[in-house]
Amino acid sequence: MPESQSVQVFGNTLAGGCGKCDFLDFVILPFNLVLPAFRKKTATACAFAKQGRGLIKVNGQPIENIEPECLRLKAFEPVLILGQDKFANLDIRIRVKGGGMTAQIYAIRSAIAKSIVAYYAKYVDESSKNELRATLMAYDRNLLVADPRRREPKKYGGRGARARFQKSYR
């Protein structure tokens, strides 16, 4: 791991950054805070989960203000699946950048799901973490597991990655 991706936290060095985000993929700090990061295509969502009163904010705005409205329910999915009682004493702040609208929404929903599982793993207990994880995996595996598909690069001799220019003999 290069030195640029190491972070000094209270005298301990933690390594394993994603490169797209200022944070590591998964860091556990001593004051009830977990920081999972999630990517969908080129959108990156970094979530801060800590003890609180049930607020979920995306780029400083409440999650209820997410645009477009038709994709708002996608961002709410982890809350609706697990129930609001699991989020009652948890504040989640999410920073998302890069990608398009849809990729950002999918990165947000995955960051929310990943952050609550990480929080329960560290600060609650292992059995409730396994229960949350099983519920989320049964609904949609992509809530916790990243989608590896990326855009294929364009090649010469055509308009895109696979399409070729039309051949003419005269």
mmCIF file with all atom_site columns, all heavy atoms in Angstrom, residues 7 12 16-17 22-24 30 33 41 55 63 78 80 83 86 88 109 111 116-117 119 124 129 132 142 146 165:
data_model
loop_
_atom_site.group_PDB
_atom_site.id
_atom_site.type_symbol
_atom_site.label_atom_id
_atom_site.label_alt_id
_atom_site.label_comp_id
_atom_site.label_asym_id
_atom_site.label_entity_id
_atom_site.label_seq_id
_atom_site.pdbx_PDB_ins_code
_atom_site.Cartn_x
_atom_site.Cartn_y
_atom_site.Cartn_z
_atom_site.occupancy
_atom_site.B_iso_or_equiv
_atom_site.pdbx_formal_charge
_atom_site.auth_seq_id
_atom_site.auth_comp_id
_atom_site.auth_asym_id
_atom_site.auth_atom_id
_atom_site.pdbx_PDB_model_num
ATOM 1   N N   . VAL A 1 7   ? -3.430  6.527  6.688   1.00 0.00 ? 7   VAL A N   1
ATOM 2   C CA  . VAL A 1 7   ? -3.993  7.605  7.487   1.00 0.00 ? 7   VAL A CA  1
ATOM 3   C C   . VAL A 1 7   ? -3.531  7.428  8.921   1.00 0.00 ? 7   VAL A C   1
ATOM 4   O O   . VAL A 1 7   ? -3.538  6.319  9.452   1.00 0.00 ? 7   VAL A O   1
ATOM 5   C CB  . VAL A 1 7   ? -5.541  7.590  7.423   1.00 0.00 ? 7   VAL A CB  1
ATOM 6   C CG1 . VAL A 1 7   ? -6.121  8.602  8.372   1.00 0.00 ? 7   VAL A CG1 1
ATOM 7   C CG2 . VAL A 1 7   ? -5.992  7.851  6.020   1.00 0.00 ? 7   VAL A CG2 1
ATOM 8   N N   . ASN A 1 12  ? -2.189  5.463  15.479  1.00 0.00 ? 12  ASN A N   1
ATOM 9   C CA  . ASN A 1 12  ? -2.201  4.211  14.733  1.00 0.00 ? 12  ASN A CA  1
ATOM 10  C C   . ASN A 1 12  ? -2.280  4.518  13.249  1.00 0.00 ? 12  ASN A C   1
ATOM 11  O O   . ASN A 1 12  ? -2.984  5.419  12.833  1.00 0.00 ? 12  ASN A O   1
ATOM 12  C CB  . ASN A 1 12  ? -3.419  3.355  15.110  1.00 0.00 ? 12  ASN A CB  1
ATOM 13  C CG  . ASN A 1 12  ? -3.426  3.028  16.573  1.00 0.00 ? 12  ASN A CG  1
ATOM 14  O OD1 . ASN A 1 12  ? -2.377  2.832  17.157  1.00 0.00 ? 12  ASN A OD1 1
ATOM 15  N ND2 . ASN A 1 12  ? -4.600  2.990  17.173  1.00 0.00 ? 12  ASN A ND2 1
ATOM 16  N N   . GLY A 1 16  ? -5.477  1.325  3.318   1.00 0.00 ? 16  GLY A N   1
ATOM 17  C CA  . GLY A 1 16  ? -6.469  0.650  2.492   1.00 0.00 ? 16  GLY A CA  1
ATOM 18  C C   . GLY A 1 16  ? -7.417  1.591  1.819   1.00 0.00 ? 16  GLY A C   1
ATOM 19  O O   . GLY A 1 16  ? -8.604  1.315  1.756   1.00 0.00 ? 16  GLY A O   1
ATOM 20  N N   . GLY A 1 17  ? -6.959  2.711  1.317   1.00 0.00 ? 17  GLY A N   1
ATOM 21  C CA  . GLY A 1 17  ? -7.834  3.694  0.689   1.00 0.00 ? 17  GLY A CA  1
ATOM 22  C C   . GLY A 1 17  ? -8.325  3.272  -0.679  1.00 0.00 ? 17  GLY A C   1
ATOM 23  O O   . GLY A 1 17  ? -7.721  2.436  -1.344  1.00 0.00 ? 17  GLY A O   1
ATOM 24  N N   . ASP A 1 22  ? -11.414 10.746 -0.064  1.00 0.00 ? 22  ASP A N   1
ATOM 25  C CA  . ASP A 1 22  ? -10.433 11.191 0.920   1.00 0.00 ? 22  ASP A CA  1
ATOM 26  C C   . ASP A 1 22  ? -10.266 10.182 2.046   1.00 0.00 ? 22  ASP A C   1
ATOM 27  O O   . ASP A 1 22  ? -9.360  10.283 2.844   1.00 0.00 ? 22  ASP A O   1
ATOM 28  C CB  . ASP A 1 22  ? -10.866 12.517 1.548   1.00 0.00 ? 22  ASP A CB  1
ATOM 29  C CG  . ASP A 1 22  ? -11.012 13.611 0.520   1.00 0.00 ? 22  ASP A CG  1
ATOM 30  O OD1 . ASP A 1 22  ? -10.495 13.429 -0.590  1.00 0.00 ? 22  ASP A OD1 1
ATOM 31  O OD2 . ASP A 1 22  ? -11.630 14.622 0.828   1.00 0.00 ? 22  ASP A OD2 1
ATOM 32  N N   . PHE A 1 23  ? -11.169 9.214  2.136   1.00 0.00 ? 23  PHE A N   1
ATOM 33  C CA  . PHE A 1 23  ? -11.203 8.301  3.257   1.00 0.00 ? 23  PHE A CA  1
ATOM 34  C C   . PHE A 1 23  ? -10.789 6.903  2.833   1.00 0.00 ? 23  PHE A C   1
ATOM 35  O O   . PHE A 1 23  ? -10.640 6.606  1.664   1.00 0.00 ? 23  PHE A O   1
ATOM 36  C CB  . PHE A 1 23  ? -12.605 8.250  3.864   1.00 0.00 ? 23  PHE A CB  1
ATOM 37  C CG  . PHE A 1 23  ? -13.114 9.594  4.201   1.00 0.00 ? 23  PHE A CG  1
ATOM 38  C CD1 . PHE A 1 23  ? -14.064 10.206 3.425   1.00 0.00 ? 23  PHE A CD1 1
ATOM 39  C CD2 . PHE A 1 23  ? -12.597 10.280 5.285   1.00 0.00 ? 23  PHE A CD2 1
ATOM 40  C CE1 . PHE A 1 23  ? -14.512 11.467 3.717   1.00 0.00 ? 23  PHE A CE1 1
ATOM 41  C CE2 . PHE A 1 23  ? -13.044 11.548 5.587   1.00 0.00 ? 23  PHE A CE2 1
ATOM 42  C CZ  . PHE A 1 23  ? -13.997 12.133 4.807   1.00 0.00 ? 23  PHE A CZ  1
ATOM 43  N N   . LEU A 1 24  ? -10.653 6.038  3.801   1.00 0.00 ? 24  LEU A N   1
ATOM 44  C CA  . LEU A 1 24  ? -10.361 4.641  3.536   1.00 0.00 ? 24  LEU A CA  1
ATOM 45  C C   . LEU A 1 24  ? -11.656 3.915  3.207   1.00 0.00 ? 24  LEU A C   1
ATOM 46  O O   . LEU A 1 24  ? -12.749 4.422  3.471   1.00 0.00 ? 24  LEU A O   1
ATOM 47  C CB  . LEU A 1 24  ? -9.709  4.022  4.771   1.00 0.00 ? 24  LEU A CB  1
ATOM 48  C CG  . LEU A 1 24  ? -8.440  4.733  5.257   1.00 0.00 ? 24  LEU A CG  1
ATOM 49  C CD1 . LEU A 1 24  ? -7.954  4.106  6.533   1.00 0.00 ? 24  LEU A CD1 1
ATOM 50  C CD2 . LEU A 1 24  ? -7.376  4.676  4.199   1.00 0.00 ? 24  LEU A CD2 1
ATOM 51  N N   . PRO A 1 30  ? -12.233 5.397  17.361  1.00 0.00 ? 30  PRO A N   1
ATOM 52  C CA  . PRO A 1 30  ? -12.589 5.067  18.733  1.00 0.00 ? 30  PRO A CA  1
ATOM 53  C C   . PRO A 1 30  ? -13.846 5.713  19.290  1.00 0.00 ? 30  PRO A C   1
ATOM 54  O O   . PRO A 1 30  ? -14.289 5.328  20.339  1.00 0.00 ? 30  PRO A O   1
ATOM 55  C CB  . PRO A 1 30  ? -11.371 5.515  19.532  1.00 0.00 ? 30  PRO A CB  1
ATOM 56  C CG  . PRO A 1 30  ? -10.574 6.362  18.649  1.00 0.00 ? 30  PRO A CG  1
ATOM 57  C CD  . PRO A 1 30  ? -10.973 6.089  17.249  1.00 0.00 ? 30  PRO A CD  1
ATOM 58  N N   . LEU A 1 33  ? -17.850 5.820  15.514  1.00 0.00 ? 33  LEU A N   1
ATOM 59  C CA  . LEU A 1 33  ? -17.966 6.360  14.167  1.00 0.00 ? 33  LEU A CA  1
ATOM 60  C C   . LEU A 1 33  ? -17.394 5.347  13.199  1.00 0.00 ? 33  LEU A C   1
ATOM 61  O O   . LEU A 1 33  ? -16.297 4.850  13.406  1.00 0.00 ? 33  LEU A O   1
ATOM 62  C CB  . LEU A 1 33  ? -17.184 7.679  14.080  1.00 0.00 ? 33  LEU A CB  1
ATOM 63  C CG  . LEU A 1 33  ? -17.088 8.349  12.718  1.00 0.00 ? 33  LEU A CG  1
ATOM 64  C CD1 . LEU A 1 33  ? -18.423 8.965  12.355  1.00 0.00 ? 33  LEU A CD1 1
ATOM 65  C CD2 . LEU A 1 33  ? -16.029 9.421  12.742  1.00 0.00 ? 33  LEU A CD2 1
ATOM 66  N N   . LYS A 1 41  ? -20.133 2.543  -10.603 1.00 0.00 ? 41  LYS A N   1
ATOM 67  C CA  . LYS A 1 41  ? -19.540 3.141  -11.810 1.00 0.00 ? 41  LYS A CA  1
ATOM 68  C C   . LYS A 1 41  ? -18.493 4.163  -11.370 1.00 0.00 ? 41  LYS A C   1
ATOM 69  O O   . LYS A 1 41  ? -17.522 3.785  -10.716 1.00 0.00 ? 41  LYS A O   1
ATOM 70  C CB  . LYS A 1 41  ? -20.593 3.736  -12.711 1.00 0.00 ? 41  LYS A CB  1
ATOM 71  C CG  . LYS A 1 41  ? -21.525 2.712  -13.338 1.00 0.00 ? 41  LYS A CG  1
ATOM 72  C CD  . LYS A 1 41  ? -22.430 3.376  -14.324 1.00 0.00 ? 41  LYS A CD  1
ATOM 73  C CE  . LYS A 1 41  ? -23.326 2.389  -15.028 1.00 0.00 ? 41  LYS A CE  1
ATOM 74  N NZ  . LYS A 1 41  ? -24.236 3.069  -15.937 1.00 0.00 ? 41  LYS A NZ  1
ATOM 75  N N   . LEU A 1 55  ? -30.836 11.045 11.965  1.00 0.00 ? 55  LEU A N   1
ATOM 76  C CA  . LEU A 1 55  ? -30.739 11.892 10.780  1.00 0.00 ? 55  LEU A CA  1
ATOM 77  C C   . LEU A 1 55  ? -29.928 11.187 9.693   1.00 0.00 ? 55  LEU A C   1
ATOM 78  O O   . LEU A 1 55  ? -28.918 10.558 9.984   1.00 0.00 ? 55  LEU A O   1
ATOM 79  C CB  . LEU A 1 55  ? -30.052 13.217 11.116  1.00 0.00 ? 55  LEU A CB  1
ATOM 80  C CG  . LEU A 1 55  ? -30.741 14.117 12.124  1.00 0.00 ? 55  LEU A CG  1
ATOM 81  C CD1 . LEU A 1 55  ? -29.868 15.308 12.437  1.00 0.00 ? 55  LEU A CD1 1
ATOM 82  C CD2 . LEU A 1 55  ? -32.078 14.583 11.578  1.00 0.00 ? 55  LEU A CD2 1
ATOM 83  N N   . ILE A 1 63  ? -32.105 13.543 3.443   1.00 0.00 ? 63  ILE A N   1
ATOM 84  C CA  . ILE A 1 63  ? -32.285 12.548 2.383   1.00 0.00 ? 63  ILE A CA  1
ATOM 85  C C   . ILE A 1 63  ? -33.638 12.712 1.684   1.00 0.00 ? 63  ILE A C   1
ATOM 86  O O   . ILE A 1 63  ? -33.815 12.287 0.550   1.00 0.00 ? 63  ILE A O   1
ATOM 87  C CB  . ILE A 1 63  ? -32.106 11.118 2.946   1.00 0.00 ? 63  ILE A CB  1
ATOM 88  C CG1 . ILE A 1 63  ? -31.925 10.122 1.812   1.00 0.00 ? 63  ILE A CG1 1
ATOM 89  C CG2 . ILE A 1 63  ? -33.246 10.749 3.861   1.00 0.00 ? 63  ILE A CG2 1
ATOM 90  C CD1 . ILE A 1 63  ? -31.492 8.756  2.249   1.00 0.00 ? 63  ILE A CD1 1
ATOM 91  N N   . PRO A 1 78  ? -32.771 0.852  2.111   1.00 0.00 ? 78  PRO A N   1
ATOM 92  C CA  . PRO A 1 78  ? -32.252 0.218  3.335   1.00 0.00 ? 78  PRO A CA  1
ATOM 93  C C   . PRO A 1 78  ? -33.070 0.569  4.581   1.00 0.00 ? 78  PRO A C   1
ATOM 94  O O   . PRO A 1 78  ? -33.278 -0.279 5.451   1.00 0.00 ? 78  PRO A O   1
ATOM 95  C CB  . PRO A 1 78  ? -30.824 0.770  3.453   1.00 0.00 ? 78  PRO A CB  1
ATOM 96  C CG  . PRO A 1 78  ? -30.468 1.211  2.091   1.00 0.00 ? 78  PRO A CG  1
ATOM 97  C CD  . PRO A 1 78  ? -31.742 1.631  1.434   1.00 0.00 ? 78  PRO A CD  1
ATOM 98  N N   . LEU A 1 80  ? -36.318 1.387  4.628   1.00 0.00 ? 80  LEU A N   1
ATOM 99  C CA  . LEU A 1 80  ? -37.619 0.734  4.528   1.00 0.00 ? 80  LEU A CA  1
ATOM 100 C C   . LEU A 1 80  ? -37.514 -0.771 4.779   1.00 0.00 ? 80  LEU A C   1
ATOM 101 O O   . LEU A 1 80  ? -38.420 -1.370 5.367   1.00 0.00 ? 80  LEU A O   1
ATOM 102 C CB  . LEU A 1 80  ? -38.225 0.990  3.145   1.00 0.00 ? 80  LEU A CB  1
ATOM 103 C CG  . LEU A 1 80  ? -38.501 2.464  2.805   1.00 0.00 ? 80  LEU A CG  1
ATOM 104 C CD1 . LEU A 1 80  ? -38.968 2.598  1.374   1.00 0.00 ? 80  LEU A CD1 1
ATOM 105 C CD2 . LEU A 1 80  ? -39.522 3.040  3.756   1.00 0.00 ? 80  LEU A CD2 1
ATOM 106 N N   . GLY A 1 83  ? -36.381 -1.153 8.677   1.00 0.00 ? 83  GLY A N   1
ATOM 107 C CA  . GLY A 1 83  ? -37.270 -0.501 9.630   1.00 0.00 ? 83  GLY A CA  1
ATOM 108 C C   . GLY A 1 83  ? -36.589 0.690  10.277  1.00 0.00 ? 83  GLY A C   1
ATOM 109 O O   . GLY A 1 83  ? -35.379 0.683  10.499  1.00 0.00 ? 83  GLY A O   1
ATOM 110 N N   . LYS A 1 86  ? -34.179 0.669  13.595  1.00 0.00 ? 86  LYS A N   1
ATOM 111 C CA  . LYS A 1 86  ? -32.733 0.394  13.525  1.00 0.00 ? 86  LYS A CA  1
ATOM 112 C C   . LYS A 1 86  ? -31.917 1.674  13.328  1.00 0.00 ? 86  LYS A C   1
ATOM 113 O O   . LYS A 1 86  ? -30.759 1.739  13.693  1.00 0.00 ? 86  LYS A O   1
ATOM 114 C CB  . LYS A 1 86  ? -32.419 -0.553 12.360  1.00 0.00 ? 86  LYS A CB  1
ATOM 115 C CG  . LYS A 1 86  ? -33.157 -1.853 12.391  1.00 0.00 ? 86  LYS A CG  1
ATOM 116 C CD  . LYS A 1 86  ? -32.526 -2.804 13.358  1.00 0.00 ? 86  LYS A CD  1
ATOM 117 C CE  . LYS A 1 86  ? -33.169 -4.163 13.187  1.00 0.00 ? 86  LYS A CE  1
ATOM 118 N NZ  . LYS A 1 86  ? -33.153 -4.950 14.387  1.00 0.00 ? 86  LYS A NZ  1
ATOM 119 N N   . ALA A 1 88  ? -32.953 4.704  14.519  1.00 0.00 ? 88  ALA A N   1
ATOM 120 C CA  . ALA A 1 88  ? -33.434 5.710  15.461  1.00 0.00 ? 88  ALA A CA  1
ATOM 121 C C   . ALA A 1 88  ? -32.307 6.394  16.230  1.00 0.00 ? 88  ALA A C   1
ATOM 122 O O   . ALA A 1 88  ? -32.377 7.585  16.503  1.00 0.00 ? 88  ALA A O   1
ATOM 123 C CB  . ALA A 1 88  ? -34.426 5.091  16.430  1.00 0.00 ? 88  ALA A CB  1
ATOM 124 N N   . ARG A 1 109 ? -27.481 4.461  -1.570  1.00 0.00 ? 109 ARG A N   1
ATOM 125 C CA  . ARG A 1 109 ? -28.226 3.387  -0.897  1.00 0.00 ? 109 ARG A CA  1
ATOM 126 C C   . ARG A 1 109 ? -27.283 2.305  -0.394  1.00 0.00 ? 109 ARG A C   1
ATOM 127 O O   . ARG A 1 109 ? -27.467 1.755  0.687   1.00 0.00 ? 109 ARG A O   1
ATOM 128 C CB  . ARG A 1 109 ? -29.316 2.818  -1.822  1.00 0.00 ? 109 ARG A CB  1
ATOM 129 C CG  . ARG A 1 109 ? -28.808 1.900  -2.911  1.00 0.00 ? 109 ARG A CG  1
ATOM 130 C CD  . ARG A 1 109 ? -29.833 1.649  -3.989  1.00 0.00 ? 109 ARG A CD  1
ATOM 131 N NE  . ARG A 1 109 ? -30.738 0.579  -3.702  1.00 0.00 ? 109 ARG A NE  1
ATOM 132 C CZ  . ARG A 1 109 ? -30.578 -0.670 -4.136  1.00 0.00 ? 109 ARG A CZ  1
ATOM 133 N NH1 . ARG A 1 109 ? -29.542 -1.000 -4.858  1.00 0.00 ? 109 ARG A NH1 1
ATOM 134 N NH2 . ARG A 1 109 ? -31.471 -1.591 -3.841  1.00 0.00 ? 109 ARG A NH2 1
ATOM 135 N N   . ALA A 1 111 ? -24.095 2.778  0.453   1.00 0.00 ? 111 ALA A N   1
ATOM 136 C CA  . ALA A 1 111 ? -23.322 3.337  1.566   1.00 0.00 ? 111 ALA A CA  1
ATOM 137 C C   . ALA A 1 111 ? -24.142 3.322  2.854   1.00 0.00 ? 111 ALA A C   1
ATOM 138 O O   . ALA A 1 111 ? -23.595 3.046  3.930   1.00 0.00 ? 111 ALA A O   1
ATOM 139 C CB  . ALA A 1 111 ? -22.876 4.750  1.229   1.00 0.00 ? 111 ALA A CB  1
ATOM 140 N N   . ILE A 1 116 ? -24.692 0.893  8.227   1.00 0.00 ? 116 ILE A N   1
ATOM 141 C CA  . ILE A 1 116 ? -25.435 0.360  9.372   1.00 0.00 ? 116 ILE A CA  1
ATOM 142 C C   . ILE A 1 116 ? -24.937 -1.022 9.752   1.00 0.00 ? 116 ILE A C   1
ATOM 143 O O   . ILE A 1 116 ? -24.827 -1.354 10.933  1.00 0.00 ? 116 ILE A O   1
ATOM 144 C CB  . ILE A 1 116 ? -26.969 0.380  9.148   1.00 0.00 ? 116 ILE A CB  1
ATOM 145 C CG1 . ILE A 1 116 ? -27.666 0.062  10.467  1.00 0.00 ? 116 ILE A CG1 1
ATOM 146 C CG2 . ILE A 1 116 ? -27.387 -0.584 8.069   1.00 0.00 ? 116 ILE A CG2 1
ATOM 147 C CD1 . ILE A 1 116 ? -29.105 0.401  10.520  1.00 0.00 ? 116 ILE A CD1 1
ATOM 148 N N   . VAL A 1 117 ? -24.557 -1.836 8.767   1.00 0.00 ? 117 VAL A N   1
ATOM 149 C CA  . VAL A 1 117 ? -24.003 -3.157 9.068   1.00 0.00 ? 117 VAL A CA  1
ATOM 150 C C   . VAL A 1 117 ? -22.669 -3.005 9.801   1.00 0.00 ? 117 VAL A C   1
ATOM 151 O O   . VAL A 1 117 ? -22.411 -3.697 10.791  1.00 0.00 ? 117 VAL A O   1
ATOM 152 C CB  . VAL A 1 117 ? -23.850 -4.000 7.783   1.00 0.00 ? 117 VAL A CB  1
ATOM 153 C CG1 . VAL A 1 117 ? -23.047 -5.248 8.043   1.00 0.00 ? 117 VAL A CG1 1
ATOM 154 C CG2 . VAL A 1 117 ? -25.215 -4.363 7.225   1.00 0.00 ? 117 VAL A CG2 1
ATOM 155 N N   . TYR A 1 119 ? -21.681 -0.431 11.609  1.00 0.00 ? 119 TYR A N   1
ATOM 156 C CA  . TYR A 1 119 ? -21.936 0.128  12.938  1.00 0.00 ? 119 TYR A CA  1
ATOM 157 C C   . TYR A 1 119 ? -22.399 -0.962 13.900  1.00 0.00 ? 119 TYR A C   1
ATOM 158 O O   . TYR A 1 119 ? -21.922 -1.053 15.027  1.00 0.00 ? 119 TYR A O   1
ATOM 159 C CB  . TYR A 1 119 ? -22.980 1.241  12.851  1.00 0.00 ? 119 TYR A CB  1
ATOM 160 C CG  . TYR A 1 119 ? -23.200 1.954  14.158  1.00 0.00 ? 119 TYR A CG  1
ATOM 161 C CD1 . TYR A 1 119 ? -22.395 3.016  14.529  1.00 0.00 ? 119 TYR A CD1 1
ATOM 162 C CD2 . TYR A 1 119 ? -24.202 1.549  15.031  1.00 0.00 ? 119 TYR A CD2 1
ATOM 163 C CE1 . TYR A 1 119 ? -22.580 3.662  15.740  1.00 0.00 ? 119 TYR A CE1 1
ATOM 164 C CE2 . TYR A 1 119 ? -24.401 2.188  16.237  1.00 0.00 ? 119 TYR A CE2 1
ATOM 165 C CZ  . TYR A 1 119 ? -23.586 3.245  16.585  1.00 0.00 ? 119 TYR A CZ  1
ATOM 166 O OH  . TYR A 1 119 ? -23.772 3.875  17.785  1.00 0.00 ? 119 TYR A OH  1
ATOM 167 N N   . VAL A 1 124 ? -22.718 -2.802 18.388  1.00 0.00 ? 124 VAL A N   1
ATOM 168 C CA  . VAL A 1 124 ? -23.892 -3.465 18.972  1.00 0.00 ? 124 VAL A CA  1
ATOM 169 C C   . VAL A 1 124 ? -23.505 -4.909 19.266  1.00 0.00 ? 124 VAL A C   1
ATOM 170 O O   . VAL A 1 124 ? -22.862 -5.182 20.263  1.00 0.00 ? 124 VAL A O   1
ATOM 171 C CB  . VAL A 1 124 ? -25.132 -3.343 18.053  1.00 0.00 ? 124 VAL A CB  1
ATOM 172 C CG1 . VAL A 1 124 ? -26.362 -3.924 18.726  1.00 0.00 ? 124 VAL A CG1 1
ATOM 173 C CG2 . VAL A 1 124 ? -25.389 -1.872 17.725  1.00 0.00 ? 124 VAL A CG2 1
ATOM 174 N N   . LYS A 1 129 ? -25.883 -7.936 13.701  1.00 0.00 ? 129 LYS A N   1
ATOM 175 C CA  . LYS A 1 129 ? -25.211 -7.601 12.440  1.00 0.00 ? 129 LYS A CA  1
ATOM 176 C C   . LYS A 1 129 ? -25.502 -8.666 11.390  1.00 0.00 ? 129 LYS A C   1
ATOM 177 O O   . LYS A 1 129 ? -25.847 -8.360 10.239  1.00 0.00 ? 129 LYS A O   1
ATOM 178 C CB  . LYS A 1 129 ? -23.700 -7.479 12.624  1.00 0.00 ? 129 LYS A CB  1
ATOM 179 C CG  . LYS A 1 129 ? -23.014 -7.096 11.326  1.00 0.00 ? 129 LYS A CG  1
ATOM 180 C CD  . LYS A 1 129 ? -21.680 -7.674 11.078  1.00 0.00 ? 129 LYS A CD  1
ATOM 181 C CE  . LYS A 1 129 ? -21.591 -9.136 10.917  1.00 0.00 ? 129 LYS A CE  1
ATOM 182 N NZ  . LYS A 1 129 ? -20.474 -9.627 10.136  1.00 0.00 ? 129 LYS A NZ  1
ATOM 183 N N   . LEU A 1 132 ? -29.104 -8.280 10.170  1.00 0.00 ? 132 LEU A N   1
ATOM 184 C CA  . LEU A 1 132 ? -29.228 -7.166 9.224   1.00 0.00 ? 132 LEU A CA  1
ATOM 185 C C   . LEU A 1 132 ? -28.649 -7.535 7.863   1.00 0.00 ? 132 LEU A C   1
ATOM 186 O O   . LEU A 1 132 ? -29.252 -7.278 6.822   1.00 0.00 ? 132 LEU A O   1
ATOM 187 C CB  . LEU A 1 132 ? -28.493 -5.930 9.744   1.00 0.00 ? 132 LEU A CB  1
ATOM 188 C CG  . LEU A 1 132 ? -29.053 -5.213 10.957  1.00 0.00 ? 132 LEU A CG  1
ATOM 189 C CD1 . LEU A 1 132 ? -28.134 -4.080 11.355  1.00 0.00 ? 132 LEU A CD1 1
ATOM 190 C CD2 . LEU A 1 132 ? -30.436 -4.695 10.675  1.00 0.00 ? 132 LEU A CD2 1
ATOM 191 N N   . ASN A 1 142 ? -26.674 -6.288 -4.204  1.00 0.00 ? 142 ASN A N   1
ATOM 192 C CA  . ASN A 1 142 ? -25.884 -5.104 -4.545  1.00 0.00 ? 142 ASN A CA  1
ATOM 193 C C   . ASN A 1 142 ? -25.912 -4.028 -3.462  1.00 0.00 ? 142 ASN A C   1
ATOM 194 O O   . ASN A 1 142 ? -25.198 -3.032 -3.577  1.00 0.00 ? 142 ASN A O   1
ATOM 195 C CB  . ASN A 1 142 ? -26.347 -4.504 -5.871  1.00 0.00 ? 142 ASN A CB  1
ATOM 196 C CG  . ASN A 1 142 ? -25.930 -5.359 -7.038  1.00 0.00 ? 142 ASN A CG  1
ATOM 197 O OD1 . ASN A 1 142 ? -24.915 -6.049 -6.979  1.00 0.00 ? 142 ASN A OD1 1
ATOM 198 N ND2 . ASN A 1 142 ? -26.709 -5.339 -8.097  1.00 0.00 ? 142 ASN A ND2 1
ATOM 199 N N   . ALA A 1 146 ? -20.257 -4.765 -4.098  1.00 0.00 ? 146 ALA A N   1
ATOM 200 C CA  . ALA A 1 146 ? -20.070 -3.819 -5.207  1.00 0.00 ? 146 ALA A CA  1
ATOM 201 C C   . ALA A 1 146 ? -20.307 -4.484 -6.555  1.00 0.00 ? 146 ALA A C   1
ATOM 202 O O   . ALA A 1 146 ? -20.035 -5.667 -6.743  1.00 0.00 ? 146 ALA A O   1
ATOM 203 C CB  . ALA A 1 146 ? -18.666 -3.237 -5.159  1.00 0.00 ? 146 ALA A CB  1
ATOM 204 N N   . PHE A 1 165 ? -16.404 1.638  -37.824 1.00 0.00 ? 165 PHE A N   1
ATOM 205 C CA  . PHE A 1 165 ? -16.859 2.454  -38.938 1.00 0.00 ? 165 PHE A CA  1
ATOM 206 C C   . PHE A 1 165 ? -17.236 1.525  -40.093 1.00 0.00 ? 165 PHE A C   1
ATOM 207 O O   . PHE A 1 165 ? -16.637 0.460  -40.271 1.00 0.00 ? 165 PHE A O   1
ATOM 208 C CB  . PHE A 1 165 ? -15.769 3.426  -39.392 1.00 0.00 ? 165 PHE A CB  1
ATOM 209 C CG  . PHE A 1 165 ? -15.468 4.496  -38.379 1.00 0.00 ? 165 PHE A CG  1
ATOM 210 C CD1 . PHE A 1 165 ? -14.175 4.779  -38.009 1.00 0.00 ? 165 PHE A CD1 1
ATOM 211 C CD2 . PHE A 1 165 ? -16.492 5.238  -37.795 1.00 0.00 ? 165 PHE A CD2 1
ATOM 212 C CE1 . PHE A 1 165 ? -13.878 5.761  -37.071 1.00 0.00 ? 165 PHE A CE1 1
ATOM 213 C CE2 . PHE A 1 165 ? -16.214 6.226  -36.875 1.00 0.00 ? 165 PHE A CE2 1
ATOM 214 C CZ  . PHE A 1 165 ? -14.921 6.480  -36.503 1.00 0.00 ? 165 PHE A CZ  1
#
